[in-house]
Amino acid sequence: MRHWPRAVLAAALASFLALASAADAAQPPPGASSCSGCHGTVPNGTPIPVLRGRPAHDIAGLMREFRSGARPATVMGSIAKGFNDRDIDAISQWVVGQGQ
Amino acid sequence: MRKHLSARRRTLLKLTAAAALAPTVVRAQGAAKVVVVGGGFGGAVCARTLKTMAPAIGVTLVEPNKTYTACPFSNEVIAGLRELKQQEFSYEAIARNGVTVAATTATAVDSAAKIVTLGDGSKLSYDRLVIAPGIDLDWKALPGYDEAAAEKMPHAWKAGPQTALLRRQLEAMEDGGVVVISVPAAPYRCPPAPYERASQIAWYLKAKKPRSKVLLLDAKDSFSQQRLFQAAWTKLYPGMIEWVPLSQGGNVTSVDPATRTFNTDFDKHKADVANVVPPQKAAAIAQTAGVADRTGWCPVSSIAFESELQPSIHVLGDAALMGAMPKAAFSANAQGKACAAAIVDLLAGRTPAEPRLVSACYNLAAPDYGFSIVGVYRPEKGQFLEVPGAGGTSPIDGDSALRAQEARYAEAGFRVLTAETFG
């Protein structure tokens, strides 16, 4: 049996431990962490809706309507145009569960 | 070969996983240390997000001020529409999140030894350092304008006592006075803010001192959301705001605080209230740490905001060169969260994903008259560039209902942004 050099073993162990240390981190897909700059996670009486807890497919559907212009918007049309369908689905999945 | 090795390595990782139980993991977690210098919209949210994403990382936020005074909406304070108190946010919630708040300055960085020296002489070691100190006003860039001159001709470009001073001067001005605002060449903190400020001051003057005027002396020939601002000025404040661009002699070459005079290439403008927005650079610690280049700003990679000049240091917000992204609170907040995610990846030995960032910026030309500019950014040739086809401004022909709606969104956005950043 081939023996792994000690350095390789140590590096593997270190990288595993580092991975484990961040295991609780839910990495947002690209673009998703910007949403919470405007959309709060708890209702606070503002006109900008909370996304957390809503069905992901609703958010994705709204984003597609903003992007196509089918749904009028102030800023969301311009923002949604920066994302493709795969981005939108990933972001929608993430934001509805954010902070949980 | 490479594939084979990585497969072997994965097997090894699984074996290691079985052997390494919780106590070992906890010890490893405790080892990772991140120091964040600067508790503004970028630094504070980066510290909070790190702690939320990976609670075991030791996070220290170095910030000398007990409260943060926010710049967004501070133009409304100048116009008497808000109180400075409403701009103030404490670091208590961030401390409750488990971030260690060191209420002192950072005075030196040894990037080779990975040590930050604090104002009280103590030293902090780090695995990753985040520098998010914002701007310093460049007191040497405009002849006649220094810290003493700012008491006569306030800048009000860092919210706080200067904001209150400019407001008092406006309140003390007699009807028929001239308010002069000088605007530097780009880059500077918050590109549209001088023009929002001119609008807010005109709102106050129209109500209280209607014979007065606002004169903008600009070192540029165009500005952010120019058509929207100019349409608002025509509609709301006809004849009250005059904008002098660079090509018409707007560039201010020196000031005389004793007489509140702005000197341009061909002219002198004496003000009753003088607001100098001076040239700026990344704050002192960025210069000290060696992360700023000859421009005075900090070049960073567009993947994890890592300094291009020093290893293991990330630079965020107004201090950094972020390509097409504006120097603004919302941008810094978006960068802070993305940087936290990237640091978690880097500490775990993973390559951070390419970020996509959104910037949203509202301007209020009057309390019920708002408009916005948004951009979506991604790394392109080493810097953040706008995603083609996305982004844009409010429509130029928007009706008053739309402007009122965007004014409400602006206020709501500020509440959410500050709550996310400071708790």
Side-chain angles (χ1 to χ4, degrees):
Chain A
M1 185 178 151
R2 182 174 161 191
H3 287 277
W4 287 87
R6 188 175 283 267
V8 172
L9 279 172
L13 182 65
S15 73
F16 163 73
L17 293 175
L19 275 167
S21 76
D24 44 359
Q27 280 286 345
S33 64
S34 288
C35 306
S36 56
C38 285
H39 295 274
T41 50
V42 290
N44 67 350
T46 72
I48 303 173
V50 169
L51 304 176
R52 188 168 116 182
R54 296 177 66 163
H57 61 87
D58 280 8
I59 304 295
L62 286 167
M63 285 285 281
R64 287 187 174 88
E65 288 177 32
F66 285 136
R67 189 177 59 184
S68 71
R71 179 176 289 266
T74 54
V75 298
M76 283 312 302
S78 303
I79 293 172
K81 287 190 179 79
F83 298 92
N84 63 28
D85 281 338
R86 210 175 62 178
D87 297 330
I88 284 175
D89 289 337
I91 290 169
S92 301
Q93 288 288 344
W94 191 81
V95 296
V96 300
Q98 66 182 250
Q100 289 177 340
Chain B
M1 179 65 188
R2 201 163 159 185
K3 196 173 175 188
H4 171 73
L5 254 183
S6 69
R8 291 289 295 266
R9 217 168 149 170
R10 274 200 298 277
T11 310
L12 186 71
L13 285 176
K14 278 181 199 156
L15 289 171
T16 321
L21 293 172
T24 323
V25 175
V26 168
R27 204 167 62 236
Q29 286 176 332
K33 282 184 281 193
V34 179
V35 175
V36 181
V37 174
F41 282 95
V45 87
C46 183
R48 276 195 102 184
T49 306
L50 277 165
K51 207 65 200 168
T52 308
M53 289 187 77
I57 295 176
V59 183
T60 303
L61 177 64
V62 181
E63 168 57 52
N65 295 306
K66 290 278 184 203
T67 56
Y68 182 75
T69 308
C71 279
F73 275 87
S74 67
N75 284 333
E76 293 220 325
V77 176
I78 293 165
L81 286 158
R82 285 170 75 85
E83 295 309 314
L84 203 49
K85 205 84 195 144
Q86 291 170 270
Q87 300 298 109
E88 292 175 355
F89 300 89
S90 88
Y91 295 102
E92 287 166 15
I94 294 175
R96 279 199 301 275
N97 289 145
V99 173
T100 303
V101 180
T104 180
T105 53
T107 57
V109 174
D110 181 339
S111 59
K114 294 190 176 180
I115 287 172
V116 186
T117 305
L118 304 185
D120 60 10
S122 61
K123 293 179 188 295
L124 289 176
S125 65
Y126 61 82
D127 296 294
R128 291 273 161 183
L129 175 64
V130 179
I131 296 185
I135 57 156
D136 270 355
L137 305 174
D138 190 345
W139 298 112
K140 291 181 181 142
L142 180 62
Y145 199 66
D146 56 18
E147 283 171 282
E151 294 305 308
K152 292 277 285 183
M153 306 172 87
H155 54 81
W157 219 244
K158 290 184 171 191
Q162 279 275 311
T163 314
L165 176 62
L166 182 55
R167 174 170 163 171
R168 284 199 304 278
Q169 290 190 355
L170 280 174
E171 287 169 350
M173 189 182 83
E174 289 186 15
D175 191 7
V178 178
V179 180
V180 180
I181 304 172
S182 67
V183 188
Y188 59 87
R189 165 176 281 178
C190 201
Y195 314 97
E196 188 197 54
R197 177 170 293 178
S199 314
Q200 294 281 348
I201 289 175
W203 182 87
Y204 166 78
L205 296 174
K206 186 180 176 185
K208 306 279 181 160
K209 295 156 190 181
R211 294 189 295 114
S212 310
K213 291 213 174 338
V214 181
L215 178 65
L216 277 158
L217 299 175
D218 205 330
K220 308 187 300 305
D221 273 324
S222 62
F223 58 89
S224 174
Q225 299 151 87
Q226 183 170 344
R227 290 178 68 213
L228 284 158
F229 274 111
Q230 289 179 326
W233 295 345
T234 302
K235 182 180 162 74
L236 302 170
Y237 316 113
M240 283 188 81
I241 300 177
E242 184 188 350
W243 174 61
V244 184
L246 171 68
S247 57
Q248 290 171 33
N251 184 38
V252 173
T253 52
S254 67
V255 296
D256 178 8
T259 56
R260 290 199 178 91
T261 301
F262 295 77
N263 300 310
T264 60
D265 284 333
F266 306 110
D267 222 337
K268 288 178 186 300
H269 301 272
K270 196 175 174 318
D272 295 290
V273 170
N275 175 203
V276 176
V277 181
Q280 298 153 32
K281 57 186 179 178
I285 187 63
Q287 319 284 341
T288 308
V291 291
D293 67 14
R294 285 162 64 191
T295 66
W297 305 99
C298 307
V300 294
S301 84
S302 49
I303 301 294
F305 313 94
E306 284 179 285
S307 169
E308 289 183 352
L309 304 178
Q310 301 292 341
S312 303
I313 302 181
H314 307 251
V315 189
L316 297 180
D318 292 354
L321 290 165
M322 287 287 179
M325 276 196 101
K327 298 187 185 303
F330 194 99
S331 296
N333 169 279
Q335 292 157 14
K337 289 178 283 188
C339 183
I343 287 174
V344 168
D345 272 342
L346 288 166
L347 290 173
R350 294 186 298 250
T351 304
E354 187 176 278
R356 188 87 54 95
L357 299 173
V358 177
S359 155
C361 163
Y362 287 94
N363 287 283
L364 294 177
D368 59 353
Y369 192 109
F371 47 82
S372 58
I373 183 166
V374 297
V376 184
Y377 303 87
R378 70 175 178 212
E380 192 80 46
K381 293 178 183 142
Q383 59 176 337
F384 281 105
L385 295 183
E386 283 204 67
V387 175
T393 66
S394 306
I396 188 76
D397 57 354
D399 61 14
S400 54
L402 178 69
R403 303 293 187 233
Q405 184 184 27
E406 293 222 89
R408 288 197 301 277
Y409 285 175
E411 209 276 329
F414 180 70
R415 281 166 62 187
V416 172
L417 190 71
T418 51
E420 184 185 41
T421 307
F422 301 104

